[in-house]
Amino acid sequence: MAGVLASAGLVLVTGPAEAGNKPAKTVPVRLLSLNDFHGHLEPPTGSSGRMVDETGATVDAGGAAYAATHLKQLTDKNTLKVAQGDLIGATPLISAAFHDEPSVEFLGKVGVTTSAVGNHEFDEGYAELRRIMKGGCHPVDGCSPAGTWKGAEYDYIGANVILKRGGTGAEKDALAALGGNGSSLRSLLRQYGVPALPPVSIRWMNGVPIGFIGLVTKTTPNIVTAEGIKDLEFVDEVKAANVASRLLKLVGVKAQVVLVHEGDQVTAGQSPDACSAQPGAGNRIATQVDAEIDMILSGHSHQAYLCTVADPKGNQRLYSQGGSFGRVITKVDFRVDVRTRDVVRSSVAADNQVVTRTVTPDPEISAFVQTWKDRVATVANKPIGKITADITNTAAPSGESPLGNLIADGQLAAARTGGNAQIALMNPGGVRASLTYPSSPAGEGDGVVTYGEAFTVQPFNNLLQVVTLTGAQLKTLLEQQFPGGPNNQAFTKILQPSSNLTYSYSASAAWGSKVSDIKIDGVAVTDTQTIRVAANNFLVGGGDAFAAFTQGTDVWSGPLDIDAFAAYFAANPVIAPPTPNHITVLP
């Protein structure tokens, strides 16, 4: 009978007993996987640099040099290293300043062979992702201090990423990944259209092929800048995975692993080896993809869990994720039947290993990280202003935060001249960290904010834009902060307002009637008036399901968001934490 055994930090997937008295000849395979690395070459700080381990203790975790040591310790002759996306994008300055080439190089150095694309792989657009994959210097900024970029040493795959128009050579890459060019392969490959990326990657280990299917969340168009993916379509993950599985079977690959950049939330504080995932978008994929697929390694939700789920035929298979920022390595051991070339599911054993900092950091990677740290130091260490106390991105009961308000005020200031902005709105997910006021043991502090710290807060290099909305459209936009409307907002997302915008909302009211008493500079907004609204280009393009922004007219483009933030500090050298009191919550 199928079941799950958990013991000593290990999850063992068991399946039906094999027929016959003589066991089939099998060979071992080990997978080591990472997800959501986000360019954290240096050890992440604060809560982002801690992890609950298998004993329930919270420990410091992450950092490229420590991850390299753990990977070496876990690697044997049967090992393949893979990843589930968001390896780049939304990265610290040490990586982002060089368009994430340092992070991709690091992942190649530690032996990653294949990765699904994540939504953040598209932060700078599809063309830039192709450059990262294939090589060449950045078209605007030129070559990095390391010279001409040679391209990623691992494959990026995405079965559900389709070109609206052909012409990039992506289909040729996809066929090459499958090792053939036959009409049946081409026909099946084009079931949804011309692939933008290879859908699969095939790796051989101990004489048997292992097929990896790459998937990225189908919500990607809602969470990345529209312009960069205007030529792409993101189809349903399950449907795309099933086509990719058939492609693998067509070329004789039966041991199949999905690498998917989609996952679920968890019950907080659990062991990374616990099955604490709350069924959601990731679970839907894990349970519904073709029964030929043997395991699902996930990402996107930044959580750690080890679960088993039933496939469409009722057999058990692994569904896992390994946290984020290089804090966890998922180790999966299994055996493949040499005759059938399929995974023996009863042999699958998985373990989420925390990347502790109690090991000796890898000297080669330590030197590599220091090189890039030195290269970026001049930019990162430049002071841009001071704060009088911590300015956090922690939401008040209304949903706004002090740092969100500050960023919105900075964007409004930067967009008044030229863009004629009257208000500004900032997406809460774009405020990635707090600004902290460091102090000495004696309780003294200087409150200096560096460019590197500001960049950590806003790492996306989004463009500041201004559009014209009517008062009625602004009302609809604010309604779109809440679930229940036609924009299909998954959960409440409160846009961070500039200080001169105030309004009330009632979460219990019906959608469309939640927001009231909208005022700008204390003057009530009417439905027919026109308002110049500043926001980053991600929001202006309809990101985070704020579709009303796409109705805006007379688009004006200004500076990068990080430059607007720095300019606000230049104009206001010492800043106190704003009070997040611009939104009133009604019963």
Side-chain angles (χ1 to χ4, degrees):
M1 181 178 293
V4 182
L5 298 176
S7 176
L10 195 69
V11 168
L12 178 66
V13 181
T14 64
E18 295 180 30
N21 297 322
K22 186 177 180 181
K25 183 180 179 183
T26 61
V27 293
V29 178
R30 171 172 290 182
L31 300 182
L32 299 178
S33 79
L34 292 167
N35 60 274
D36 298 274
F37 181 64
H38 286 291
H40 279 272
L41 296 173
E42 296 182 90
T45 60
S47 61
S48 296
R50 296 190 289 270
M51 197 75 201
V52 175
D53 69 11
E54 293 88 344
T55 70
T58 299
V59 299
D60 291 336
Y66 296 105
T69 295
H70 282 274
L71 285 166
K72 281 185 177 179
Q73 292 176 349
L74 294 170
T75 298
D76 62 18
K77 63 181 181 179
N78 309 308
T79 299
L80 293 169
K81 295 168 187 162
V82 297
Q84 292 93 262
D86 274 13
L87 305 181
I88 60 176
T91 52
L93 190 62
I94 187 175
S95 183
F98 308 104
H99 299 282
D100 285 322
E101 291 174 19
S103 293
V104 177
E105 184 177 355
F106 157 71
L107 293 160
K109 283 180 176 291
V110 296
V112 171
T113 62
T114 303
S115 177
V117 287
N119 54 284
H120 281 287
E121 262 77 19
F122 296 94
D123 278 353
E124 293 191 53
Y126 175 60
E128 172 63 3
L129 174 58
R130 295 279 296 178
R131 185 190 74 84
I132 288 294
M133 294 167 61
K134 299 291 187 178
C137 295
H138 191 272
V140 176
D141 295 334
C143 297
S144 81
T148 302
W149 174 240
K150 296 178 181 178
E153 293 184 27
Y154 54 89
D155 296 336
Y156 265 125
I157 56 177
N160 65 324
V161 188
I162 305 300
L163 279 171
K164 294 178 181 177
R165 295 179 291 275
T168 68
E171 184 171 18
K172 182 178 178 181
D173 293 345
L175 289 167
L178 289 159
N181 194 27
S183 59
S184 57
L185 269 180
R186 187 181 296 274
S187 175
L188 185 55
L189 187 63
R190 284 196 170 195
Q191 180 162 334
Y192 293 116
V194 178
L197 298 162
V200 301
S201 177
I202 300 170
R203 299 290 171 178
W204 288 77
M205 178 56 65
N206 292 330
V208 295
I210 313 297
F212 296 96
I213 299 168
L215 301 170
V216 60
T217 173
K218 65 182 179 182
T219 67
T220 295
N222 293 332
I223 51 178
V224 302
T225 301
E227 178 64 21
I229 58 168
K230 64 183 180 181
D231 295 327
L232 304 180
E233 182 181 358
F234 295 80
V235 302
D236 181 78
E237 305 96 338
V238 172
K239 292 179 179 178
N242 292 347
V243 172
S245 176
R246 288 160 56 199
L247 282 167
L248 288 173
K249 284 183 68 177
L250 199 59
V251 295
V253 180
K254 295 183 179 179
Q256 300 181 7
V257 179
V258 159
L259 306 174
V260 56
H261 192 73
E262 181 62 281
D264 293 324
Q265 297 302 316
V266 301
T267 304
Q270 301 294 301
S271 163
D273 292 329
C275 181
S276 54
Q278 304 299 309
N283 182 272
R284 180 188 76 88
I285 297 165
T287 55
Q288 293 183 13
V289 294
D290 198 290
E292 291 291 338
I293 294 166
D294 297 291
M295 62 191 76
I296 293 87
L297 309 184
S298 71
H300 190 47
S301 60
H302 290 206
Q303 306 300 332
Y305 49 81
L306 293 176
C307 297
T308 57
V309 296
D311 69 22
K313 291 185 177 179
N315 295 317
Q316 297 290 299
R317 60 185 173 196
L318 176 69
Y319 169 48
S320 71
Q321 189 175 159
S324 62
F325 306 153
R327 294 175 295 166
V328 175
I329 297 166
T330 302
K331 177 172 71 75
V332 186
D333 288 308
F334 58 95
R335 301 189 74 85
V336 178
D337 187 305
V338 173
R339 180 179 58 83
T340 66
R341 287 186 167 184
D342 208 351
V343 172
V344 180
R345 291 202 195 172
S346 60
S347 70
V348 177
D351 189 11
N352 269 338
Q353 306 240 338
V354 176
V355 177
T356 61
R357 299 181 199 165
T358 55
V359 299
T360 301
D362 182 271
E364 178 189 355
I365 299 302
S366 292
F368 172 80
V369 173
Q370 186 61 50
T371 295
W372 288 102
K373 190 175 178 180
D374 292 342
R375 286 168 173 167
V376 81
T378 302
V379 176
N381 294 333
K382 180 182 177 181
I384 64 170
K386 290 186 176 184
I387 56 178
T388 62
D390 290 353
I391 305 180
T392 73
N393 62 348
T394 303
S398 65
E400 57 185 321
S401 72
L403 188 51
N405 291 156
L406 176 62
I407 290 171
D409 283 344
Q411 292 184 348
L412 177 59
R416 283 192 186 276
T417 302
N420 299 315
Q422 295 167 268
I423 60 171
L425 293 166
M426 175 65 186
N427 55 308
V431 188
R432 305 296 282 193
S434 297
L435 288 177
T436 57
Y437 183 88
S439 61
S440 70
E444 301 170 347
D446 56 14
V448 170
V449 176
T450 65
Y451 184 86
E453 290 169 329
F455 189 90
T456 299
V457 170
Q458 289 190 101
F460 294 104
N461 276 323
N462 282 323
L463 197 64
L464 182 59
Q465 296 185 313
V466 181
V467 294
T468 297
L469 297 176
T470 65
Q473 288 169 335
L474 176 61
K475 167 73 159 56
T476 298
L477 179 70
L478 297 177
E479 291 283 339
Q480 288 176 346
Q481 297 174 119
F482 305 96
N487 58 315
N488 199 30
Q489 187 70 269
F491 50 87
T492 299
K493 293 181 182 176
I494 300 298
L495 294 169
Q496 308 296 287
S498 52
S499 298
N500 66 332
L501 172 64
T502 62
Y503 65 92
S504 301
Y505 74 76
S506 170
S508 63
W511 197 93
S513 301
K514 292 180 180 291
V515 176
S516 61
D517 196 28
I518 305 171
K519 293 180 180 178
I520 297 174
D521 295 317
V523 179
V525 170
T526 67
D527 286 348
T528 56
Q529 76 178 91
T530 58
I531 305 160
R532 295 289 284 167
V533 182
N536 59 50
N537 61 312
F538 166 69
L539 280 176
V540 170
D544 270 347
F546 287 102
F549 261 120
T550 64
Q551 299 171 11
T553 59
D554 300 322
V555 179
W556 173 87
S557 295
L560 293 175
D561 53 5
I562 180 62
D563 293 337
F565 197 40
Y568 194 67
F569 270 99
N572 303 274
V574 181
I575 295 177
T579 301
N581 60 355
H582 309 101
I583 303 172
T584 300
V585 180
L586 304 174

PDB file of all heavy atoms in Angstrom, residues 211-224:
ATOM      1  N   GLY A 211      14.753  13.083 -17.542  1.00  0.00           N
ATOM      2  CA  GLY A 211      14.154  14.220 -18.229  1.00  0.00           C
ATOM      3  C   GLY A 211      13.605  15.242 -17.256  1.00  0.00           C
ATOM      4  O   GLY A 211      12.857  14.894 -16.331  1.00  0.00           O
ATOM      5  N   PHE A 212      13.976  16.496 -17.455  1.00  0.00           N
ATOM      6  CA  PHE A 212      13.500  17.588 -16.612  1.00  0.00           C
ATOM      7  C   PHE A 212      12.566  18.475 -17.426  1.00  0.00           C
ATOM      8  O   PHE A 212      12.899  18.882 -18.549  1.00  0.00           O
ATOM      9  CB  PHE A 212      14.667  18.406 -16.068  1.00  0.00           C
ATOM     10  CG  PHE A 212      15.571  17.628 -15.167  1.00  0.00           C
ATOM     11  CD1 PHE A 212      16.733  17.037 -15.659  1.00  0.00           C
ATOM     12  CD2 PHE A 212      15.261  17.441 -13.832  1.00  0.00           C
ATOM     13  CE1 PHE A 212      17.565  16.298 -14.837  1.00  0.00           C
ATOM     14  CE2 PHE A 212      16.086  16.701 -12.995  1.00  0.00           C
ATOM     15  CZ  PHE A 212      17.241  16.121 -13.498  1.00  0.00           C
ATOM     16  N   ILE A 213      11.409  18.767 -16.864  1.00  0.00           N
ATOM     17  CA  ILE A 213      10.402  19.616 -17.490  1.00  0.00           C
ATOM     18  C   ILE A 213      10.359  20.936 -16.727  1.00  0.00           C
ATOM     19  O   ILE A 213      10.146  20.950 -15.516  1.00  0.00           O
ATOM     20  CB  ILE A 213       9.011  18.954 -17.452  1.00  0.00           C
ATOM     21  CG1 ILE A 213       9.020  17.620 -18.218  1.00  0.00           C
ATOM     22  CG2 ILE A 213       7.943  19.883 -18.007  1.00  0.00           C
ATOM     23  CD1 ILE A 213       7.776  16.776 -17.986  1.00  0.00           C
ATOM     24  N   GLY A 214      10.565  22.048 -17.427  1.00  0.00           N
ATOM     25  CA  GLY A 214      10.552  23.353 -16.776  1.00  0.00           C
ATOM     26  C   GLY A 214       9.201  24.025 -16.896  1.00  0.00           C
ATOM     27  O   GLY A 214       8.580  24.009 -17.965  1.00  0.00           O
ATOM     28  N   LEU A 215       8.731  24.615 -15.802  1.00  0.00           N
ATOM     29  CA  LEU A 215       7.474  25.355 -15.782  1.00  0.00           C
ATOM     30  C   LEU A 215       7.649  26.617 -14.944  1.00  0.00           C
ATOM     31  O   LEU A 215       8.381  26.615 -13.953  1.00  0.00           O
ATOM     32  CB  LEU A 215       6.341  24.520 -15.170  1.00  0.00           C
ATOM     33  CG  LEU A 215       5.988  23.184 -15.828  1.00  0.00           C
ATOM     34  CD1 LEU A 215       5.024  22.404 -14.941  1.00  0.00           C
ATOM     35  CD2 LEU A 215       5.383  23.406 -17.206  1.00  0.00           C
ATOM     36  N   VAL A 216       6.933  27.669 -15.333  1.00  0.00           N
ATOM     37  CA  VAL A 216       6.909  28.901 -14.547  1.00  0.00           C
ATOM     38  C   VAL A 216       5.444  29.259 -14.306  1.00  0.00           C
ATOM     39  O   VAL A 216       4.575  28.933 -15.118  1.00  0.00           O
ATOM     40  CB  VAL A 216       7.650  30.042 -15.275  1.00  0.00           C
ATOM     41  CG1 VAL A 216       7.016  30.361 -16.620  1.00  0.00           C
ATOM     42  CG2 VAL A 216       7.723  31.304 -14.412  1.00  0.00           C
ATOM     43  N   THR A 217       5.175  29.903 -13.199  1.00  0.00           N
ATOM     44  CA  THR A 217       3.799  30.262 -12.867  1.00  0.00           C
ATOM     45  C   THR A 217       3.112  30.971 -14.037  1.00  0.00           C
ATOM     46  O   THR A 217       3.681  31.896 -14.649  1.00  0.00           O
ATOM     47  CB  THR A 217       3.737  31.139 -11.602  1.00  0.00           C
ATOM     48  OG1 THR A 217       2.400  31.601 -11.418  1.00  0.00           O
ATOM     49  CG2 THR A 217       4.666  32.346 -11.694  1.00  0.00           C
ATOM     50  N   LYS A 218       1.901  30.544 -14.319  1.00  0.00           N
ATOM     51  CA  LYS A 218       1.145  31.160 -15.416  1.00  0.00           C
ATOM     52  C   LYS A 218       0.721  32.584 -15.082  1.00  0.00           C
ATOM     53  O   LYS A 218       0.253  33.314 -15.961  1.00  0.00           O
ATOM     54  CB  LYS A 218      -0.077  30.317 -15.760  1.00  0.00           C
ATOM     55  CG  LYS A 218      -1.132  30.229 -14.654  1.00  0.00           C
ATOM     56  CD  LYS A 218      -2.292  29.333 -15.061  1.00  0.00           C
ATOM     57  CE  LYS A 218      -3.342  29.232 -13.952  1.00  0.00           C
ATOM     58  NZ  LYS A 218      -4.454  28.319 -14.327  1.00  0.00           N
ATOM     59  N   THR A 219       0.905  33.008 -13.824  1.00  0.00           N
ATOM     60  CA  THR A 219       0.582  34.389 -13.432  1.00  0.00           C
ATOM     61  C   THR A 219       1.702  35.361 -13.770  1.00  0.00           C
ATOM     62  O   THR A 219       1.593  36.550 -13.457  1.00  0.00           O
ATOM     63  CB  THR A 219       0.288  34.476 -11.924  1.00  0.00           C
ATOM     64  OG1 THR A 219       1.499  34.212 -11.182  1.00  0.00           O
ATOM     65  CG2 THR A 219      -0.788  33.482 -11.502  1.00  0.00           C
ATOM     66  N   THR A 220       2.759  34.892 -14.402  1.00  0.00           N
ATOM     67  CA  THR A 220       3.908  35.749 -14.705  1.00  0.00           C
ATOM     68  C   THR A 220       3.520  37.071 -15.362  1.00  0.00           C
ATOM     69  O   THR A 220       4.063  38.127 -14.990  1.00  0.00           O
ATOM     70  CB  THR A 220       4.926  34.989 -15.564  1.00  0.00           C
ATOM     71  OG1 THR A 220       5.455  33.890 -14.793  1.00  0.00           O
ATOM     72  CG2 THR A 220       6.087  35.874 -15.994  1.00  0.00           C
ATOM     73  N   PRO A 221       2.589  37.103 -16.330  1.00  0.00           N
ATOM     74  CA  PRO A 221       2.244  38.398 -16.933  1.00  0.00           C
ATOM     75  C   PRO A 221       1.705  39.422 -15.941  1.00  0.00           C
ATOM     76  O   PRO A 221       1.770  40.628 -16.203  1.00  0.00           O
ATOM     77  CB  PRO A 221       1.174  38.021 -17.971  1.00  0.00           C
ATOM     78  CG  PRO A 221       1.469  36.605 -18.317  1.00  0.00           C
ATOM     79  CD  PRO A 221       1.924  35.984 -17.021  1.00  0.00           C
ATOM     80  N   ASN A 222       1.178  38.965 -14.802  1.00  0.00           N
ATOM     81  CA  ASN A 222       0.653  39.888 -13.795  1.00  0.00           C
ATOM     82  C   ASN A 222       1.716  40.408 -12.848  1.00  0.00           C
ATOM     83  O   ASN A 222       1.458  41.343 -12.083  1.00  0.00           O
ATOM     84  CB  ASN A 222      -0.439  39.200 -12.964  1.00  0.00           C
ATOM     85  CG  ASN A 222      -1.680  38.889 -13.764  1.00  0.00           C
ATOM     86  OD1 ASN A 222      -1.985  39.575 -14.728  1.00  0.00           O
ATOM     87  ND2 ASN A 222      -2.379  37.842 -13.372  1.00  0.00           N
ATOM     88  N   ILE A 223       2.905  39.807 -12.867  1.00  0.00           N
ATOM     89  CA  ILE A 223       3.898  40.141 -11.845  1.00  0.00           C
ATOM     90  C   ILE A 223       5.255  40.537 -12.412  1.00  0.00           C
ATOM     91  O   ILE A 223       6.220  40.679 -11.660  1.00  0.00           O
ATOM     92  CB  ILE A 223       4.066  38.983 -10.828  1.00  0.00           C
ATOM     93  CG1 ILE A 223       4.317  37.646 -11.517  1.00  0.00           C
ATOM     94  CG2 ILE A 223       2.846  38.886  -9.928  1.00  0.00           C
ATOM     95  CD1 ILE A 223       4.529  36.484 -10.555  1.00  0.00           C
ATOM     96  N   VAL A 224       5.335  40.721 -13.728  1.00  0.00           N
ATOM     97  CA  VAL A 224       6.543  41.304 -14.317  1.00  0.00           C
ATOM     98  C   VAL A 224       6.116  42.421 -15.264  1.00  0.00           C
ATOM     99  O   VAL A 224       4.954  42.531 -15.648  1.00  0.00           O
ATOM    100  CB  VAL A 224       7.410  40.267 -15.072  1.00  0.00           C
ATOM    101  CG1 VAL A 224       7.819  39.130 -14.154  1.00  0.00           C
ATOM    102  CG2 VAL A 224       6.696  39.726 -16.300  1.00  0.00           C
TER     103      VAL A 224
END
